[in-house]
Amino acid sequence: MNKKHFIGMLLILLLIPCTIGAAGQKAVEGDVVIWHPFPEQTHFIQQAANSWNEENLGTFNVTTRFIPFADLKREIAQSLVTGEVPDIYMVDNPDHASFAAAGAFYDLTAWIKKWGQANQYFPGPWNSTIWEGKNYGIPVDSNTILLYYNKDAFKRAGIAGPPGTWTELLDAANKLNALDPNFRGIAFSAIRSEEGTFQFLPFLQQAGGSVDAINSTNGVVALSLWTELVQKGYASPEVINITQNEAVGLLASGNVGMAISGPWSLGLMKDADFEWGLSLLPIKEDVGVRSSAMGGYNMAIMADSKSPGNSWEFIKWLQTPENIRRFYWDFLGGARIPSRADVANEADKWVQNPQLKVFIEQLQFAKPRGPHPEWPSISNAIQIAIQKSLTGQATPQAALDEAAKTLEKFF
Amino acid sequence: MKHIGNAKAQRIYIWFLLPGLVYVLLFVVYPIVFNVQLSFQNVTALNIRAPRKPYIGLDNYVQVFTDPELPGILLNTLAFTIGSIAFQFAIGFAIALFLQKQFPLRDLFRSLIMIGWVLSPIVVGTIWRWMLNSDFGLLNFILQWIGVIDTNISWLPQPKTAMTGVVMANIWLGVPFNMMLLTGGLANLPESVYESATIDGANRFQQFFKITIPLIRQTIAATIMLGFIYTLKVFDLIWVMTNGGPVNATTTMPVWSYRASFVLFKFSQGATISNVLFAMTLVLAIVYIYFFGNKED
């Protein structure tokens, strides 16, 4: 290879990444642009936008732009600085308060009053859209986490049914673990991101603990359970590095007997070659509190949007009971649960998959995170405590004491 | 550089400089200035849209330099950088020497090695994350098979081995770059020197240490310097593999800066950390330019 060829090749190599850059979408005046974190076929938002465009020709167009979950918040933060904001942002509900407090969202209070549908919504999701008494969005769909389990493995291990209590959970994990040296009892996500906090909070609440008193005995008991699962080898040490989808991936590929995740992971179970089921999260027997984390997305109109009126028209259209029935229930057999109680309560009529009914049942016990404008920092302190304890760098008590010290200033 | 003859020609040359100058001002100087400004303010998610942001002087720098996390993160940055460069350079040099020899399919081999450099760090990080998996990772399988270990190592979940894991991935990623620069240096060596050395009875080792290394000294220094500058700012690879965890075990300066800005929304703190990193890189760059910049003839 002579020098010329070499330089030529080098140039080509350098140019490849440049051609992959995403082309920006410039909208026509009045059009509505939605930024969302849902890959193809995991949310109905794309279908809803397409339907709007077909049925409302001559008004305005709705376009959607997918940005991966891990990048969406950053892109929104950057857009706030440059002013190149979308019109509607589908925001993960614990983040809603930070953005509302920052003045990033359009105040919908007057419009919502005129609309008069506020009392149709579940209070948990609805409250996540309120900041200092004003409305900054509409909760669109809710989700929560459950226990996915491998029925065949349960049978082989001689376990009667899904664990209902923490004791049964440890027992089941132990028996499943013993099935095969390459098989583990359970997978969950203790990753250093919001997902880790999301999975830990139900355990904290079931033990009777809370974020504002995280190092209470109850909090320590919760973290001790997770630590025990890892230290006894019932869960892989990798749990501190895997996402919720990866946990279900391990279940689907036959590497673990149980996994914790939400309805967005259902698609991953399609290829599982064994009988599987869903069950409510096991509770701590002596406390008896049922709890689960409330996840879900709100639609917020950006304060700098050039077409807030049209955005509001689209949201109202999407939130009519007919359209909720049309989009939500059709989608993956109802994997996205409406935040409108009147329609969600018809679930029995619409949801064909009996397993999804478990999600709706668990959703009644789901508790929102925050709302608190400093939620990301609160969550970060919890993640550090989880990781310290699970990797044996600190006892659950010491790890949570440290977290409590960081959290002091937020409550 | 040759001097331009007359004033008219010089004026024309200035126009040729203009596009480059505009580019540098817009995409290099402006962000740096903006970042410095940001580091003297207190910008968080809460006031990002406010028309005026409060100036707080050196508070951010005081906070960063007194942060209890700082010493550990600096050590991580150092371990990551030195660990990566030592091996990237040694392996890259060995391959470059090997590729000097004529053998069939040599060009194909060279192109294949380049693949590592073309791949996005995100892809490389993801692949290595699975290769290092505690339960079914390829590396544990190989190490068990050849009998080095008895039980699987939890590479990334253990604070003690997590850094080794990300460094291994980064070495793999950086070897082609080192190899390429060194190949360039080796290609310019005159054949005649080696011929006379052989006649004088110098063996291969003597030739390598007495001829090859002194003659490509410049290239070696450039490779190591550029390696430092590139490795100091590696972010994506670590983020994909560990998110900087467990706890802070693989948090380096760029990861810390990103987390402050885009996870915790403390934009000014993130800017301050990246300015400290910028200063570190700048010192290296100045050293590089001072010693080697003008001697490229």
Side-chain angles (χ1 to χ4, degrees):
Chain A
M1 191 158 54
N2 65 32
K3 217 170 183 175
K4 233 185 211 162
H5 284 146
F6 185 66
I7 290 170
M9 199 176 90
L10 205 70
L11 279 177
I12 292 169
L13 292 181
L14 286 172
L15 284 174
I16 291 169
C18 306
T19 57
I20 306 174
Q25 285 170 313
K26 264 275 168 267
V28 186
E29 191 71 33
D31 279 0
V32 171
V33 177
I34 302 175
W35 286 6
H36 65 85
F38 313 111
E40 204 83 12
Q41 291 305 315
T42 61
H43 199 283
F44 53 79
I45 189 67
Q46 286 104 327
Q47 283 101 304
N50 292 342
S51 300
W52 169 276
N53 294 339
E54 281 163 23
E55 293 161 25
N56 296 282
L57 280 176
T59 56
F60 57 90
N61 267 313
V62 178
T63 49
T64 58
R65 182 177 163 212
F66 160 64
I67 299 172
F69 178 79
D71 299 324
L72 182 56
K73 257 204 279 187
R74 179 177 50 89
E75 293 256 350
I76 289 286
Q78 283 168 344
S79 79
L80 287 172
V81 180
T82 60
E84 294 289 315
V85 296
D87 299 292
I88 296 176
Y89 166 29
M90 298 205 63
V91 52
D92 194 16
N93 63 32
D95 294 332
H96 201 106
S98 319
F99 285 107
F105 293 160
Y106 198 88
D107 182 357
L108 301 175
T109 316
W111 286 348
I112 284 176
K113 209 165 184 184
K114 214 169 121 201
W115 179 51
Q117 309 280 313
N119 53 1
Q120 301 292 351
Y121 285 79
F122 286 121
W126 186 262
N127 286 338
S128 74
T129 65
I130 294 175
W131 177 249
E132 291 186 337
K134 290 193 175 126
N135 298 94
Y136 289 99
I138 297 291
V140 175
D141 62 271
S142 308
N143 61 56
T144 188
I145 50 175
L146 281 182
L147 190 75
Y148 288 67
Y149 67 102
N150 179 333
K151 285 187 178 169
D152 290 357
F154 268 59
K155 226 172 272 165
R156 270 186 291 138
I159 310 163
T165 64
W166 287 14
T167 316
E168 286 173 23
L169 177 74
L170 281 168
D171 182 56
N174 182 19
K175 285 179 179 155
L176 290 165
N177 210 44
L179 282 179
D180 185 289
N182 291 321
F183 195 77
R184 301 250 191 196
I186 186 168
F188 52 91
S189 171
I191 195 168
R192 197 168 169 192
S193 79
E194 185 60 32
E195 291 194 57
T197 312
F198 186 63
Q199 294 230 321
F200 179 66
L201 289 184
F203 289 88
L204 178 71
Q205 288 153 359
Q206 285 172 1
S210 64
V211 176
D212 53 3
I214 201 160
N215 61 338
S216 66
T217 323
N218 301 334
V220 175
V221 168
L223 188 51
S224 300
L225 175 78
W226 271 29
T227 308
E228 189 179 347
L229 286 170
V230 173
Q231 274 172 2
K232 290 203 169 146
Y234 303 164
S236 165
E238 292 284 338
V239 294
I240 68 153
N241 226 353
I242 63 172
T243 63
Q244 303 181 80
N245 271 337
E246 283 169 339
V248 173
L250 289 172
L251 178 78
S253 56
N255 288 292
V256 296
M258 299 179 276
I260 297 174
S261 188
W264 58 85
S265 300
L266 282 168
L268 296 167
M269 296 302 294
K270 263 198 323 245
D271 302 324
D273 54 359
F274 52 82
E275 284 258 336
W276 56 280
L278 293 168
S279 147
L280 299 179
L281 291 181
I283 57 167
K284 188 163 186 303
E285 45 277 67
D286 55 337
V287 182
V289 173
R290 230 177 234 302
S291 172
S292 184
M294 195 192 76
Y297 285 86
N298 302 332
M299 274 185 162
I301 300 175
M302 301 300 288
D304 291 336
S305 159
K306 289 183 187 67
S307 23
N310 287 350
S311 303
W312 177 239
E313 283 307 311
F314 175 73
I315 294 176
K316 276 198 298 190
W317 174 82
L318 181 65
Q319 290 297 301
T320 54
E322 308 81 70
N323 280 334
I324 291 178
R325 286 180 198 122
R326 174 155 74 130
F327 296 119
Y328 288 56
W329 296 139
D330 269 0
F331 181 74
L332 276 186
R336 297 278 171 181
I337 298 157
S339 302
R340 252 189 98 120
D342 53 350
V343 197
N345 291 335
E346 305 168 355
D348 279 352
K349 223 160 74 195
W350 300 97
V351 176
Q352 305 300 320
N353 186 345
Q355 288 173 327
L356 278 166
K357 290 178 184 160
V358 188
F359 275 110
I360 294 168
E361 192 183 345
Q362 179 91 74
L363 197 62
Q364 295 168 29
F365 308 106
K367 295 202 171 69
R369 292 157 283 166
H372 195 298
E374 295 279 3
W375 182 258
S377 295
I378 296 170
S379 178
N380 187 47
I382 298 172
Q383 294 156 29
I384 291 176
I386 295 170
Q387 296 220 324
K388 280 205 169 151
S389 178
L390 261 51
T391 56
Q393 293 181 74
T395 61
Q397 178 76 56
L400 290 173
D401 283 346
E402 204 187 313
K405 235 169 96 190
T406 316
L407 293 180
E408 249 172 23
K409 57 175 178 280
F410 300 122
F411 296 104
Chain B
M1 201 161 78
K2 272 184 200 142
H3 284 281
I4 315 297
N6 56 54
K8 196 182 165 195
Q10 278 198 358
R11 273 204 298 278
I12 293 173
Y13 277 95
I14 287 174
W15 287 103
F16 284 112
L17 278 177
L18 201 65
L21 198 68
V22 168
Y23 177 87
V24 168
L25 282 176
L26 212 61
F27 293 106
V28 180
V29 177
Y30 173 71
I32 292 173
V33 171
F34 181 81
N35 220 37
V36 170
Q37 186 195 5
L38 202 55
S39 72
F40 291 116
Q41 296 173 317
N42 182 18
V43 180
T44 64
L46 295 179
N47 64 1
I48 191 168
R49 287 186 72 256
R52 286 174 166 277
K53 276 99 176 176
Y55 277 90
I56 53 167
L58 287 169
D59 277 16
N60 286 317
Y61 288 91
V62 173
Q63 239 179 55
V64 165
F65 281 112
T66 55
D67 196 305
E69 290 185 338
L70 179 75
I73 290 170
L74 277 179
L75 268 177
N76 289 342
T77 312
L78 209 67
F80 180 76
T81 309
I82 292 178
S84 296
I85 291 177
F87 287 94
Q88 280 173 0
F89 179 78
I91 299 170
F93 204 175
I95 297 177
L97 286 169
F98 176 59
L99 288 177
Q100 245 191 320
K101 303 268 171 291
Q102 271 301 341
F103 59 88
L105 300 180
R106 185 182 70 160
D107 286 353
L108 176 75
F109 188 65
R110 189 182 349 229
S111 311
L112 285 178
I113 291 177
M114 293 301 301
I115 287 175
W117 199 52
V118 190
L119 283 178
S120 143
I122 306 287
V123 176
V124 175
T126 310
I127 293 172
W128 272 90
R129 216 183 117 213
W130 286 107
M131 294 211 303
L132 295 172
N133 186 287
S134 315
D135 295 333
F136 32 81
L138 185 65
L139 189 68
N140 276 333
F141 176 78
I142 292 173
L143 290 179
Q144 283 219 17
W145 188 59
I146 60 176
V148 180
I149 54 170
D150 298 323
T151 49
N152 283 341
I153 296 176
S154 303
W155 290 99
L156 297 178
Q158 267 179 358
K160 282 185 198 128
T161 49
M163 185 53 88
T164 315
V166 289
V167 166
M168 279 196 280
N170 194 49
I171 290 169
W172 189 85
L173 190 62
V175 161
F177 173 76
N178 283 259
M179 177 207 82
M180 214 170 52
L181 288 186
L182 292 165
T183 304
L186 289 171
N188 292 330
L189 294 185
E191 200 63 38
S192 56
V193 186
Y194 289 93
E195 277 165 20
S196 39
T198 314
I199 293 164
D200 290 341
N203 66 28
R204 292 223 161 251
F205 283 100
Q206 285 169 322
Q207 285 184 19
F208 177 72
F209 287 106
K210 295 261 157 74
I211 301 176
T212 310
I213 290 205
L215 280 180
I216 62 162
R217 211 178 53 233
Q218 293 274 333
T219 314
I220 292 175
T223 308
I224 293 179
M225 271 298 170
L226 289 174
F228 260 103
I229 293 168
Y230 284 143
T231 313
L232 269 178
K233 59 178 194 180
V234 168
F235 158 74
D236 28 18
L237 184 84
I238 300 180
W239 194 251
V240 171
M241 289 181 74
T242 62
N243 281 35
V247 193
N248 270 340
T250 53
T251 300
T252 57
M253 293 290 280
V255 174
W256 196 28
S257 164
Y258 182 92
R259 189 186 291 136
S261 289
F262 297 118
V263 177
L264 305 177
F265 292 154
K266 294 177 175 158
F267 300 107
S268 288
Q269 206 197 351
T272 310
I273 298 165
S274 66
N275 284 337
V276 174
L277 182 67
F278 175 69
M280 288 160 65
T281 326
L282 191 66
V283 169
L284 285 173
I286 290 171
V287 169
Y288 171 67
I289 292 168
Y290 182 77
F291 282 106
F292 310 105
N294 300 321
K295 298 177 189 168
E296 292 277 334
D297 47 8

